[in-house]
């Protein structure tokens, strides 16, 4: 898990280096938005893993790496100007982000299934609700970045784009949920 932490913190260091002019990469949106996303996600996932460990539950390592990969995918889309040049890239990023959140949520809530004998479909539903929550938070970050940093609409798309982003977040989560359901039903 140390490598996953280093991947996220290394990404944040790269973003800060560009924000302060140490590096000079260009991007489509803003370094502030990328930093808020990287450090916000890092704080949440560190908190989740810390609290789980403190309560005697060891979460799987894979979701942490999946989250790190998702953050890098998002940042490289911005730095590589893929968001502006590849119509499918934003959709892939939202799908991947939803899948990453769902993998963390399933890691957390699967402990309840074991401890409290919760039905598998309940665990998947609760995890999918968390995926929707974090997809909503990401869209709110885009809105707030536009409002307070850019001063006009740059990052947040129009109504259909935002609805599509939210749908793809849930779709990514649903695919992971279906895979999880299939793997548990075979046991």
């Amino acid at each position: 898990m140390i490598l996953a932490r280093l991947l996220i913190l290394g990404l944040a260091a790269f973003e800060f280096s560009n924000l302060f002019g140490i590096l000079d990469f260009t991007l489509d949106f803003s370094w502030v938005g990328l930093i808020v996303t990287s450090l916000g996600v890092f704080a949440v996932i560190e908190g989740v893993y810390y609290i789980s460990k403190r309560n005697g539950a060891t979460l799987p390592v894979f979701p942490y790496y999946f989250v790190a990969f998702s953050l890098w995918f998002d940042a490289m889309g911005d730095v590589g100007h893929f968001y502006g040049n590849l119509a499918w890239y934003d959709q892939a990023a939202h799908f991947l982000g939803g899948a990453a959140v769902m993998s963390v949520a399933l890691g957390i809530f699967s402990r309840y299934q074991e401890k409290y004998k919760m039905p598998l479909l309940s665990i998947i539903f609760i995890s999918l609700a968390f995926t929707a929550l974090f997809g909503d938070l990401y869209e709110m970050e885009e809105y707030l970045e536009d409002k307070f940093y850019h001063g006009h609409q740059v990052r947040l798309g129009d109504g259909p784009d935002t609805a599509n982003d939210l749908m793809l977040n849930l779709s990514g989560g649903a695919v992971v949920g279906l895979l999880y359901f299939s793997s548990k039903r075979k046991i």
Side-chain angles (χ1 to χ4, degrees):
M1 201 157 56
I2 290 171
L3 178 59
R5 287 182 179 119
L6 290 175
L7 286 169
I8 296 173
L9 292 175
L11 178 61
F14 170 76
E15 293 162 351
F16 271 111
S17 296
N18 279 282
L19 178 67
F20 293 119
I22 297 166
L23 297 174
D24 191 28
F25 285 83
T26 62
L27 71 167
D28 289 330
F29 301 113
S30 77
W31 293 113
V32 171
L34 287 174
I35 290 166
V36 166
T37 301
S38 296
L39 292 182
V41 168
F42 181 74
V44 168
I45 198 161
E46 273 295 307
V48 163
Y49 275 75
Y50 174 78
I51 291 168
S52 294
K53 186 175 181 180
R54 189 168 168 214
N55 290 326
T58 303
L59 296 180
V61 177
F62 172 76
Y64 208 124
Y65 283 99
F66 197 2
V67 166
F69 176 76
S70 177
L71 287 170
W72 273 91
F73 190 85
D74 176 46
M76 291 305 100
D78 207 350
V79 174
H81 305 284
F82 301 140
Y83 284 116
N85 295 317
L86 301 172
W88 58 266
Y89 199 88
D90 182 55
Q91 296 171 346
H94 280 281
F95 185 89
L96 186 63
V101 171
M102 184 69 166
S103 69
V104 173
L106 285 171
I108 297 166
F109 295 116
S110 65
R111 304 298 181 226
Y112 291 103
Q113 182 184 15
E114 296 163 6
K115 188 173 182 178
Y116 300 112
K117 307 294 184 218
M118 285 183 69
L120 179 59
L121 289 176
S122 295
I123 298 302
I124 291 170
F125 181 77
I126 292 167
S127 297
L128 199 56
F130 267 76
T131 301
L133 170 66
F134 282 94
D136 290 349
L137 291 173
Y138 186 85
E139 292 299 313
M140 287 181 218
E141 185 281 326
E142 287 183 348
Y143 166 75
L144 292 172
E145 180 183 339
D146 280 353
K147 184 167 182 68
F148 295 110
Y149 184 77
H150 297 292
H152 63 283
Q153 187 173 346
V154 173
R155 191 143 179 242
L156 183 68
D158 57 12
D161 175 71
T162 301
N164 189 56
D165 291 348
L166 294 172
M167 182 192 67
L168 286 161
N169 289 333
L170 281 176
S171 297
V175 167
V176 170
L178 184 61
L179 293 171
Y180 183 77
F181 179 80
S182 297
S183 72
K184 291 295 183 181
R185 298 305 287 175
K186 290 180 182 177
I187 296 175

